[in-house]
Amino acid sequence: MQCTNKLKQLALAAHNYHDVQLALPAAEHNNRWSPTSSNSNRWSGFPSLFPYLELAAQFDELKTLAISDPSAREGTLGTLRVAILQPFLCPSSSGNKKQPTWVTRTNYRFCWGDNAQHHWLSTSATDNYLRGCFGYLSWYNFAAITDGTSNTLFFSEREVADTPLEGTGHAPTRKVKTDSLADYSGVFGGGTTAANPSFLSSRSTCMNAVGTGGEYLQNAAVNTALRCYHGLLWDGVGFETGFTTITPPNGPSCTRTGNLGYMIAPSSNHSGGVNTALGDGAVKFISDTINIGSGDKFDGDVRAMGQSPFGVWGALGSRAGGESTTL
């Protein structure tokens, strides 16, 4: 099955979920089967879609399992955790050759919108900082998408990392399509706690860390910040299962330690852009050269739903920015 067909199936699954639950799944939420786990509020929206992706048996298996501490994540879901789940794999991806000890893959991601500020709160609180259709501990219905489902992104693809390296290790490659920069100086401001969350300080700093060959620059600061763990967990947090509409498709990605800031560009091996699924189920190819605006950050309160500072690309990511931008 082609990448575009799988994106369409994901969008259809989200619609079917909405028909039953009267809301879209949250992109990150509590693991309902292990609510007291230290990893409980790191559960992505993909498991919620299993029954609508012909993965009902796997969904039933999930209900018998619990997530353990993040330090022992691999293998805690038994065989399901290392299973290859075809609805989440793009045939053109170069990162699908899974080693026996690696966790499973996802080439597809939820749209978190045009704001990099991810306010990781307690498992009982909601997040008002994400402007996309899928929130953190927030379940939006179609009525909340006032920009219109045909003007708002649901899903996109992203290349999977080449190695299973996670956490504090340095990435062995500098590929923009698969790697990211963590705590790269100047990109994020603010603190590293829920009480003092990070915020995007300079998009251009992240953009300027890329050389002409499509790889991150080779310098000491980049070497320290390089990370490659993208797409290794379909049940993971935002940098593993989400994307933002801030840096362009196939552009650079920067994150903030503590899961307080994600700026993740979608990526693919398709020439010149990425495939996406809109809220109405339409699948569209978006060029690397899409208008991304001239803004470097949000100048106002990101919790206020206003127009995006990141051009057409940012507008497509926000659910209620007051833009009726179409492709």
Side-chain angles (χ1 to χ4, degrees), residues 6-310:
K6 293 189 178 184
L7 280 166
K8 194 170 189 67
Q9 291 302 312
L10 281 171
L12 179 61
H15 275 255
N16 290 336
Y17 179 96
H18 187 284
D19 289 344
V20 175
Q21 304 294 338
L22 304 181
L24 294 167
E28 192 174 325
H29 61 95
N30 302 50
N31 169 18
R32 70 183 67 183
W33 302 296
S34 184
T36 60
S37 165
S38 61
N39 209 19
S40 61
N41 62 333
R42 294 164 58 100
W43 198 242
S44 85
F46 284 130
S48 298
L49 296 180
F50 275 21
Y52 310 100
L53 292 169
E54 298 183 356
L55 295 172
Q58 289 83 348
F59 187 75
D60 289 338
E61 183 180 349
L62 280 176
K63 291 189 289 187
T64 69
L65 300 168
I67 295 181
S68 69
D69 186 88
S71 62
R73 293 172 73 180
E74 185 174 324
T76 57
L77 292 185
T79 57
L80 181 58
R81 190 58 181 275
V82 295
I84 295 176
L85 303 181
Q86 289 300 328
F88 302 123
L89 298 181
C90 174
S92 68
S93 175
S94 62
N96 287 337
K97 295 181 179 180
K98 185 174 71 70
Q99 299 298 316
T101 59
W102 290 14
V103 290
T104 191
R105 295 279 186 274
T106 177
N107 283 115
Y108 301 107
R109 291 177 173 244
F110 291 91
C111 180
W112 287 62
D114 59 343
N115 178 33
Q117 184 171 335
H118 173 213
H119 199 174
W120 193 358
L121 300 171
S122 70
T123 56
S124 61
T126 58
D127 182 4
N128 296 318
Y129 292 89
L130 298 178
R131 290 163 42 99
C133 293
F134 305 98
Y136 172 80
L137 292 170
S138 299
W139 289 257
Y140 300 115
N141 59 23
F142 287 143
I145 310 173
T146 58
D147 288 345
T149 55
S150 62
N151 306 316
T152 310
L153 292 169
F154 266 21
F155 300 98
S156 185
E157 54 187 338
R158 181 174 168 85
E159 269 294 274
V160 175
D162 294 322
T163 78
L165 204 58
E166 188 175 1
T168 58
H170 295 170
T173 68
R174 292 184 171 84
K175 297 179 181 179
V176 169
K177 288 186 178 182
T178 58
D179 303 342
S180 68
L181 300 179
D183 287 333
Y184 191 60
S185 178
V187 176
F188 291 98
T192 56
T193 67
N196 182 23
S198 298
F199 55 84
L200 177 61
S201 180
S202 174
R203 175 180 66 166
S204 59
T205 298
C206 188
M207 296 279 288
N208 292 337
V210 179
T212 57
E215 297 183 347
Y216 292 108
L217 298 172
Q218 297 189 31
N219 58 50
V222 169
N223 291 345
T224 301
L226 276 167
R227 300 289 184 271
C228 65
Y229 38 52
H230 293 280
L232 301 183
L233 298 165
W234 46 255
D235 64 322
V237 293
F239 59 73
E240 295 156 340
T241 57
F243 77 95
T244 56
T245 55
I246 303 173
T247 53
N250 291 310
S253 299
C254 291
T255 63
R256 183 69 183 265
T257 294
N259 300 300
L260 293 173
Y262 305 147
M263 187 163 56
I264 307 294
S267 62
S268 78
N269 278 335
H270 310 305
S271 178
V274 297
N275 290 309
T276 64
L278 294 165
D280 64 352
V283 175
K284 299 287 186 180
F285 186 80
I286 297 184
S287 170
D288 296 347
T289 60
I290 189 172
N291 177 279
I292 61 170
S294 58
D296 209 29
K297 60 181 179 180
F298 278 92
D299 291 324
D301 187 346
V302 297
R303 291 169 291 184
M305 293 300 296
Q307 292 194 355
S308 175
F310 305 123

